[in-house]
């Protein structure tokens, strides 16, 4: 099923997308929901990020260019980072490049949506705790990376985590390709088998560090090919089984100073 969050008539709603029709639902997306009986044509609604995340956790440098490059020995401690929920936007919203920065980097990614509380879960069982999957663009300002590996500021600006367009619950995450087109030109296109830390391994690892809760979003890494972009550039992050997440980069009109 494809779950969407959208605006119609000034109201924020949640629904199930089937072809070009959205059937509104009410209740808790992760536990108990029901159809309201309201149906909307897809073209009449404005899509939002498909959820308001609880936590957003990303993993860094998690793809190789080809399968032969996968390391025989995995990192003992993978590089994880947090992104604030305030950085989330939806499809077709503008990604704002902060004042004083000329360029930022796009990073198309598969995002995992946790559906139930998970603590100390084995790799074999961890997918049972996944609700579904969406597309993320882990926008990054590398200029704000600390020389000692501090990534938070460079990942945390408002609008730096586009998500969408839907949450797909019926997806084989091991048999998809993560792609990105910049101004119509393909820049990223890799199967998830090129991940260094697999989805099962990263999720299980995290549950042994912290309790994952419903609504947590795990960004699984970006394929080789991400580039720096500037105002006016249009990025389309795509996973065919989920859809296309399209956003345009704009320059901030507000003055801001980051120390």
């Amino acid at each position: 099923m494809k779950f969407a969050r959208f605006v119609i008539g000034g109201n924020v709603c949640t629904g199930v997308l089937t072809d070009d029709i959205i059937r509104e639902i009410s209740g808790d997306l992760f536990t108990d929901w029901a159809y309201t009986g309201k149906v909307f044509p897809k073209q009449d609604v404005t899509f939002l990020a498909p959820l308001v995340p609880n936590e957003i956790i990303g993993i860094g440098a998690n793809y190789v260019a080809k399968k032969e490059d996968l390391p025989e020995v995995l990192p003992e401690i993978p590089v994880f980072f947090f992104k604030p929920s305030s950085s989330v936007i939806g499809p077709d919203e503008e990604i704002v490049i902060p004042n004083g920065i000329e360029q930022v980097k796009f990073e198309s990614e598969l995002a995992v949506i946790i559906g139930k509380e998970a603590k100390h879960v084995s790799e074999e069982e961890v997918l049972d705790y996944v609700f579904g999957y969406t597309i993320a663009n882990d926008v990054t300002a590398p200029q704000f990376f600390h020389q000692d590996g501090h990534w938070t500021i460079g990942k945390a600006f408002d609008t730096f985590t586009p998500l969408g367009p839907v949450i797909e619950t019926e997806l084989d995450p091991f048999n998809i390709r993560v792609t990105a087109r910049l101004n119509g030109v393909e820049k990223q296109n890799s199967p998830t088998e090129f991940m260094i830390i697999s989805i099962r391994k990263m999720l299980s690892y995290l549950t042994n560090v912290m309790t994952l809760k419903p609504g947590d979003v795990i960004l699984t890494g970006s394929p080789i090919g991400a580039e720096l972009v500037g105002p006016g550039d249009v990025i389309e992050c795509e996973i065919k089984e989920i859809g296309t997440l399209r956003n345009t980069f704009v320059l901030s009109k507000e003055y801001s100073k980051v120390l």
Side-chain angles (χ1 to χ4, degrees):
M1 301 181 79
K2 288 180 168 63
F3 289 92
R5 190 166 152 266
F6 58 95
V7 174
I8 188 166
N11 297 315
V12 176
C13 307
T14 301
V16 175
L17 176 65
T18 305
D19 297 323
D20 292 328
I21 296 296
I22 299 180
R23 301 174 65 194
E24 185 188 39
I25 64 172
S26 63
D28 188 322
L29 184 64
F30 302 112
T31 58
D32 186 24
W33 58 267
Y35 291 108
T36 66
K38 295 181 180 179
V39 178
F40 306 104
K42 176 183 175 181
Q43 65 269 20
D44 290 352
V45 310
T46 299
F47 284 86
L48 303 173
L51 80 165
V52 178
N54 179 48
E55 302 280 4
I56 307 168
I57 306 167
I59 187 170
N62 197 39
Y63 271 78
V64 293
K66 55 185 184 298
K67 194 171 183 179
E68 292 76 15
D69 292 338
L70 287 170
E72 294 183 5
V73 179
L74 297 179
E76 184 176 350
I77 303 177
V79 177
F80 288 105
F81 54 88
F82 282 91
K83 300 192 76 169
S85 59
S86 57
S87 68
V88 172
I89 59 172
D92 297 312
E93 292 190 69
E94 293 178 337
I95 301 169
V96 180
I97 301 173
N99 188 283
I101 301 176
E102 294 183 357
Q103 293 180 309
V104 295
K105 193 176 184 181
F106 68 83
E107 296 184 19
S108 184
E109 308 197 11
L110 172 69
V112 179
I113 313 298
I114 301 300
K116 57 183 179 180
E117 189 169 299
K119 181 67 174 177
H120 298 307
V121 181
S122 68
E123 292 181 34
E124 292 74 21
E125 297 179 338
V126 76
L127 293 188
D128 295 338
Y129 294 79
V130 171
F131 177 75
Y133 305 85
T134 192
I135 303 168
N137 186 351
D138 177 21
V139 181
T140 303
Q143 300 93 324
F144 289 95
F145 279 11
H146 191 279
Q147 62 182 359
D148 295 325
H150 189 328
W151 290 12
T152 299
I153 298 301
K155 299 279 191 180
F157 287 95
D158 289 352
T159 74
F160 270 26
T161 314
L163 296 175
V166 299
I167 299 172
E168 174 61 81
T169 60
E170 299 173 12
L171 181 77
D172 177 2
F174 310 109
N175 191 32
I176 60 171
R177 300 187 75 90
V178 179
T179 68
R181 293 183 299 276
L182 176 62
N183 301 323
V185 178
E186 185 175 275
K187 298 295 183 178
Q188 294 180 295
N189 188 338
S190 292
T192 49
E193 66 177 333
F194 287 5
M195 287 184 185
I196 297 170
I197 305 295
S198 69
I199 293 171
R200 285 192 176 95
K201 189 171 293 293
M202 75 176 74
L203 294 179
S204 178
Y205 181 96
L206 286 170
T207 70
N208 282 279
V209 175
M210 65 191 79
T211 301
L212 297 181
K213 296 185 177 182
D216 283 348
V217 176
I218 315 300
L219 311 183
T220 60
S222 186
I224 303 298
E227 295 182 0
L228 290 171
V229 295
D233 284 330
V234 177
I235 186 68
E236 295 172 288
C237 302
E238 183 177 71
I239 296 172
K240 290 188 181 297
E241 294 81 358
I242 301 174
T244 301
L245 175 63
R246 182 183 186 275
N247 300 92
T248 300
F249 292 89
V250 300
L251 192 62
S252 175
K253 298 177 181 179
E254 300 179 355
Y255 175 78
S256 61
K257 182 179 179 181
V258 180
L259 297 178

